[in-house]
Amino acid sequence: MLPTRFASDGKDIFFIDSPTGMVYRFDLSTKEATINCNNPVCSHDSDSCTAYAERDISGIRRENDEVYLLGNQIYKISRNQKEEIGKGHYGTSNSKIMFGGYIAYPEEESIIVENIESGNIVQRFEDVVPYTQGNFYYKGALWYITEDLELVRLDIKAGEKRVVEEIGVTRASVYEDFIYYIQVDQQTGDNQLIRYSEGEDSKTVVEDNVFYYNIKGDTLYYTTWPDRDFYYRPLYESSGENEAVQLFKGLDLLIWSFPEYDDLLVNLSEDYYTYYILDTETNTIDYDHPLKVEQELTQ
């Protein structure tokens, strides 16, 4: 969920502060959030700073247990380090995706796929509506959501395009062998969480009235709208029962999941700079140890 703001290398969680483009690091062992620069006299305003990111940075991506910043150039980052990689410059759009040694980026009414090591273009999709609402790579294809809220599949090898869903798609993600996304029901106006099977080309409504969501250990965590209530429930039905349990009322939470961590990272939307750990065994939020970004560093 919202992968462009967070990524983890298995040791730390890295976070882009959208207003400034600065990179922060969450250390879950110490419950501390710090700017990703250990130079005490650094002004954090130039590319030499390990926490500085270009304004066109589209986000952070994890690839082969490494974390990368994607912008006009590609940077590999780790704790207090940043290394420029790649052969080319990858367009001016701030929407890019990295996968399997390739980078894809929109350019006018086309999407270009380049080999990062060689800089060669390996595929060009012409006359397509570029992605503006999110993108991900899954089983040899680039999946993305257009400005018209269509879910589109681009076959990287064959160069073929297929519109999987035409109406009201947002917040797509992958879990196990399914694609999940939010879709606005055209009859009721409710947000529904959909599970899509590519192999069967079929979809199932998982839950109604889902606004934000994430999945951890076959458990679905989600918030509703406009009530802003927070629930969890088994992802898959068991013996015909799949009842949701309400954890909190009136909390507008953003939810992130990372494969190497058992717990979730959550953020109360009214406090942009403070994050909390949600223990998935007890389903409680650790309010006593917030991961708080120091706002004076983002001025």
Side-chain angles (χ1 to χ4, degrees), residues 97-112:
I97 180 172
M98 184 177 180
F99 54 93
Y102 299 94
I103 186 169
Y105 57 92
E107 187 175 83
E108 296 181 347
E109 295 184 358
S110 64
I111 293 177
I112 298 172

Side-chain angles (χ1 to χ4, degrees), residues 38-253:
N38 63 355
N39 182 353
V41 297
C42 183
S43 58
H44 313 306
D45 60 0
S46 69
D47 194 51
S48 61
C49 173
T50 55
Y52 177 81
E54 301 173 20
R55 288 296 181 178
D56 72 340
I57 289 292
S58 63
I60 301 181
R61 298 280 183 174
R62 176 173 175 161
E63 173 87 359
N64 296 327
D65 298 328
E66 303 282 358
V67 175
Y68 297 88
L69 297 175
L70 304 186
N72 188 43
Q73 184 53 277
I74 303 174
Y75 298 89
K76 182 168 69 174
I77 61 172
S78 56
R79 181 174 291 203
N80 299 322
Q81 295 183 354
K82 183 177 70 173
E83 174 188 1
E84 184 176 343
I85 68 168
K87 297 291 186 181
H89 292 274
Y90 307 105
T92 58
S93 169
N94 66 354
S95 186
K96 304 174 180 70
I97 180 172
M98 184 177 180
F99 54 93
Y102 299 94
I103 186 169
Y105 57 92
E107 187 175 83
E108 296 181 347
E109 295 184 358
S110 64
I111 293 177
I112 298 172
V113 182
E114 288 189 19
N115 183 295
I116 293 174
E117 184 176 355
S118 67
N120 295 330
I121 295 177
V122 298
Q123 192 61 266
R124 183 190 294 269
F125 296 91
E126 303 283 3
D127 300 322
V128 298
V129 178
Y131 39 81
T132 58
Q133 301 293 325
N135 53 66
F136 57 93
Y137 179 75
Y138 177 64
K139 291 187 176 181
L142 175 62
W143 299 68
Y144 70 95
I145 302 171
T146 71
E147 61 185 5
D148 298 322
L149 303 183
E150 298 174 318
L151 179 62
V152 176
R153 180 186 186 275
L154 299 180
D155 188 312
I156 299 299
K157 185 176 181 180
E160 298 174 348
K161 170 191 171 183
R162 180 166 67 95
V163 177
V164 177
E165 184 62 71
E166 297 180 347
I167 301 173
V169 177
T170 188
R171 302 191 182 111
S173 64
V174 176
Y175 184 78
E176 295 185 335
D177 289 329
F178 298 99
I179 293 172
Y180 293 82
Y181 55 87
I182 302 294
Q183 184 176 39
V184 178
D185 185 279
Q186 299 303 297
Q187 294 181 340
T188 66
D190 292 336
N191 293 332
Q192 294 182 319
L193 178 63
I194 304 296
R195 178 191 295 130
Y196 174 75
S197 171
E198 182 186 14
E200 299 176 358
D201 192 23
S202 63
K203 65 178 186 178
T204 304
V205 177
V206 179
E207 186 66 60
D208 293 319
N209 193 21
V210 176
F211 192 61
Y212 290 117
Y213 74 97
N214 221 312
I215 302 167
K216 190 69 179 178
D218 290 352
T219 299
L220 170 68
Y221 295 84
Y222 66 96
T223 62
T224 61
W225 187 262
D227 300 327
R228 299 187 300 170
D229 296 336
F230 185 79
Y231 292 84
Y232 74 95
R233 49 155 275 192
L235 181 62
Y236 306 111
E237 291 194 17
S238 176
S239 302
E241 296 181 358
N242 221 8
E243 185 175 352
V245 177
Q246 186 181 81
L247 284 178
F248 308 103
K249 287 182 65 65
L251 287 182
D252 190 9
L253 293 174

Side-chain angles (χ1 to χ4, degrees), residues 259-288:
E260 63 275 24
Y261 299 119
D262 293 331
D263 299 330
L264 296 172
L265 183 69
V266 298
N267 169 234
L268 279 67
S269 61
E270 65 266 21
D271 188 357
Y272 180 87
Y273 290 99
T274 301
Y275 299 82
Y276 300 92
I277 302 300
L278 189 150
D279 187 319
T280 56
E281 287 190 5
T282 62
N283 287 310
T284 58
I285 293 178
D286 185 2
Y287 288 108
D288 294 331

